[in-house]
Amino acid sequence: QVQLVESGGGLVQAGDSLRLSCAASGRTFSNYAMGWFRQAPGKEREFVAAINWSDGSAYYADSVKGRFTIFRNNAKNTLYLQMNSLKPEDTAIYYCAATQSRFVRVTTNYDYWGQGTQVTVST
């Protein structure tokens, strides 16, 4: 059974940094891409970043490019999202997810989802 468990969320001030983690278990993810999505109150879930587990190719939403970095630790089967220069508009529940599709920006292409972790950025 596939499990994705996020951690690392919290309340920070604008300009601060935060690192999210996603521990993956239940299968081999070498043929998967792993992504981070977020959902703010009253808004649809949106793509943040994704990484191919095998070769490390990374993809970012324009809104986070240059501020967020996605990376993984293969040995620990853990996905990370380093978030720097956080803004109030980054406030959302952040989810990690896994897909075998190459269209990694599309929410509906993801097969497995974590439960989410709350990130709140105050002014």
Side-chain angles (χ1 to χ4, degrees):
Q1 182 180 355
V2 173
Q3 270 199 314
L4 302 175
V5 181
E6 302 97 334
S7 61
L11 172 63
V12 296
Q13 292 187 325
D16 285 352
S17 297
L18 207 57
R19 179 178 292 183
L20 305 183
S21 300
C22 174
S25 62
R27 71 176 308 126
T28 301
F29 290 94
S30 56
N31 294 325
Y32 280 74
M34 303 289 290
W36 287 99
F37 290 76
R38 66 186 182 187
Q39 188 165 17
K43 295 188 176 181
E44 292 191 354
R45 193 169 298 189
E46 65 174 4
F47 170 78
V48 175
I51 187 169
N52 285 328
W53 200 262
S54 57
D55 65 10
S57 300
Y59 310 86
Y60 296 94
D62 288 343
S63 58
V64 306
K65 202 174 293 183
R67 299 189 298 122
F68 290 11
T69 303
I70 187 171
F71 60 102
R72 84 272 192 240
N73 183 317
N74 288 3
K76 294 184 178 181
N77 243 21
T78 301
L79 177 72
Y80 301 94
L81 185 68
Q82 177 66 41
M83 305 185 294
N84 298 330
S85 302
L86 282 161
K87 304 175 181 180
E89 50 264 43
D90 294 319
T91 295
I93 299 174
Y94 283 71
Y95 300 89
C96 74
T99 180
Q100 288 186 296
S101 170
R102 58 191 179 97
F103 299 104
V104 297
R105 298 174 185 270
V106 180
T107 308
T108 53
N109 284 344
Y110 283 75
D111 303 305
Y112 304 105
W113 291 85
Q115 83 290 347
T117 185
Q118 176 71 48
V119 172
T120 304
V121 184
S122 64
T123 54

